Amino acid sequence: MKNILILLCLLTSSVTMAQKSEGVVTYVRKEHWLKITNRLTFLSQEQKDRETQTWKNWEEDNKGIKMKLAFSPNESLYTYNSDEPEEGGYSWRKSEFYLYRNFDKDKKTDIIEMLGKTYIVDDSLHAPVWKIGNQIKEVAGYICMKAETEDPIKKQKITAWFAQDIPVSAGPERMNGLPGLILELDVNDGDVTIEAVNVAFRALTPEDMKLPKQKGKKLTDAAYDALIKQHISDRIGARQTPYGWAGIRY
């Protein structure tokens, strides 16, 4: 009888783990442009004052932009939640932004519209080098552990909070490679935050992982990084921000 109970417990645990490894996460991505502008030391005070005036009203009503991540142990796809207007009535044409990961095949496909063009980054997965700490906190109802890394191109500090109870190596933006689903990201101590507001476990369909027809310039990871690095260098040299609507994603 004891052996049967143990077996039932193991089976129940296996089913629970399976149920918690596939679904869709909804995130809210908030960009705090007043903080970002103040961090850009190469801008003149006049430019900073102008940027502050531009972003002041936005900051006061900043409800963020909704993103979604379809995930399973084998693959993930991160993109905008929808083309509908955000809360607060803001509406604009969202640029193409699809980040696909295939963990089984160690492959990724990023479709990113920026700098007036669409780029397709096809390459193997290159997970950041994470340093996992011992701090924990709750995100979207899950106890998460803290991990840190740095974006070597943008020189940004990245803090991730991942849930070991969801045993999937996926995450938002271009982050992955932790022993649990990333439910929150913090870029440069609050310049940008991406926080999960809902985790819905369900069986995924082919539509959940569907990429648009790929039209754009194909790049490797190294070529993409070189493009970003050159853009940042050029804009800093011109004393202009590299980020934002006409630039690159912060």
Side-chain angles (χ1 to χ4, degrees), residues 2-67:
K2 184 178 179 182
N3 289 338
I4 292 174
L5 288 173
I6 292 173
L7 180 60
L8 286 172
C9 287
L10 289 173
L11 288 172
T12 301
S13 176
S14 297
V15 170
T16 301
M17 290 295 281
Q19 290 174 338
K20 285 195 171 186
S21 62
E22 190 170 349
V24 177
V25 185
T26 303
Y27 298 88
V28 171
R29 187 182 200 273
K30 289 186 177 181
E31 301 167 337
H32 300 279
W33 286 103
L34 296 182
K35 289 188 68 176
I36 293 170
T37 298
N38 286 329
R39 188 182 291 277
L40 303 179
T41 56
F42 50 87
L43 296 182
S44 68
Q45 190 57 50
E46 181 183 350
Q47 287 173 302
K48 289 186 177 183
D49 291 343
R50 189 164 57 246
E51 290 285 323
T52 297
Q53 285 300 116
T54 299
W55 292 109
K56 185 178 179 181
N57 291 338
W58 170 270
E59 287 285 345
E60 290 174 354
D61 194 30
N62 185 6
K63 293 182 172 62
I65 299 170
K66 286 186 179 178
M67 309 294 295

Side-chain angles (χ1 to χ4, degrees), residues 31 33 36 55 114-115 231 241-250:
E31 301 167 337
W33 286 103
I36 293 170
W55 292 109
M114 63 180 186
L115 307 177
H231 171 73
T241 176
Y243 309 104
W245 311 119
I248 59 175
R249 196 176 183 88
Y250 189 85

Side-chain angles (χ1 to χ4, degrees):
M1 184 66 180
K2 184 178 179 182
N3 289 338
I4 292 174
L5 288 173
I6 292 173
L7 180 60
L8 286 172
C9 287
L10 289 173
L11 288 172
T12 301
S13 176
S14 297
V15 170
T16 301
M17 290 295 281
Q19 290 174 338
K20 285 195 171 186
S21 62
E22 190 170 349
V24 177
V25 185
T26 303
Y27 298 88
V28 171
R29 187 182 200 273
K30 289 186 177 181
E31 301 167 337
H32 300 279
W33 286 103
L34 296 182
K35 289 188 68 176
I36 293 170
T37 298
N38 286 329
R39 188 182 291 277
L40 303 179
T41 56
F42 50 87
L43 296 182
S44 68
Q45 190 57 50
E46 181 183 350
Q47 287 173 302
K48 289 186 177 183
D49 291 343
R50 189 164 57 246
E51 290 285 323
T52 297
Q53 285 300 116
T54 299
W55 292 109
K56 185 178 179 181
N57 291 338
W58 170 270
E59 287 285 345
E60 290 174 354
D61 194 30
N62 185 6
K63 293 182 172 62
I65 299 170
K66 286 186 179 178
M67 309 294 295
K68 66 179 178 181
L69 175 75
F71 67 90
S72 75
N74 304 323
E75 56 185 346
S76 71
L77 177 63
Y78 180 72
T79 186
Y80 289 103
N81 190 51
S82 74
D83 290 325
E84 297 300 315
E86 301 295 334
E87 291 181 43
Y90 293 106
S91 179
W92 58 88
R93 187 189 74 83
K94 294 181 172 69
S95 59
E96 283 199 284
F97 188 75
Y98 299 86
L99 308 181
Y100 174 75
R101 303 286 179 267
N102 190 310
F103 304 114
D104 279 350
K105 297 180 180 179
D106 190 38
K107 293 289 184 182
K108 72 177 178 186
T109 300
D110 293 348
I111 302 175
I112 303 173
E113 184 181 348
M114 63 180 186
L115 307 177
K117 295 181 181 179
T118 297
Y119 296 93
I120 301 169
V121 185
D122 270 323
D123 211 326
S124 56
L125 287 175
H126 299 124
V129 178
W130 293 103
K131 180 181 179 181
I132 298 177
N134 55 14
Q135 298 99 318
I136 61 172
K137 76 170 184 176
E138 183 180 321
V139 182
Y142 292 87
I143 298 300
C144 294
M145 291 186 66
K146 183 180 182 181
E148 293 181 334
T149 189
E150 182 184 71
D151 185 315
I153 306 301
K154 298 177 182 176
K155 305 301 180 184
Q156 296 168 338
K157 174 186 172 184
I158 309 292
T159 302
W161 295 90
F162 67 96
Q164 288 184 297
D165 286 346
I166 309 176
V168 176
S169 186
E173 303 299 312
R174 303 184 86 215
M175 297 292 118
N176 62 276
L178 284 166
L181 186 65
I182 299 172
L183 294 183
E184 183 177 327
L185 282 177
D186 181 304
V187 181
N188 273 339
D189 296 320
D191 285 359
V192 173
T193 57
I194 303 99
E195 183 178 354
V197 293
N198 184 60
V199 182
F201 295 102
R202 63 171 175 81
L204 298 182
T205 67
E207 194 67 24
D208 289 314
M209 293 293 173
K210 185 178 180 181
L211 287 169
K213 190 173 182 180
Q214 297 179 26
K215 290 183 179 181
K217 184 176 180 179
K218 290 196 173 184
L219 298 173
T220 62
D221 240 359
Y224 174 81
D225 287 346
L227 177 68
I228 297 296
K229 189 174 183 178
Q230 187 62 54
H231 171 73
I232 292 173
S233 176
D234 290 345
R235 297 290 282 184
I236 290 176
R239 295 189 175 276
Q240 296 177 326
T241 176
Y243 309 104
W245 311 119
I248 59 175
R249 196 176 183 88
Y250 189 85

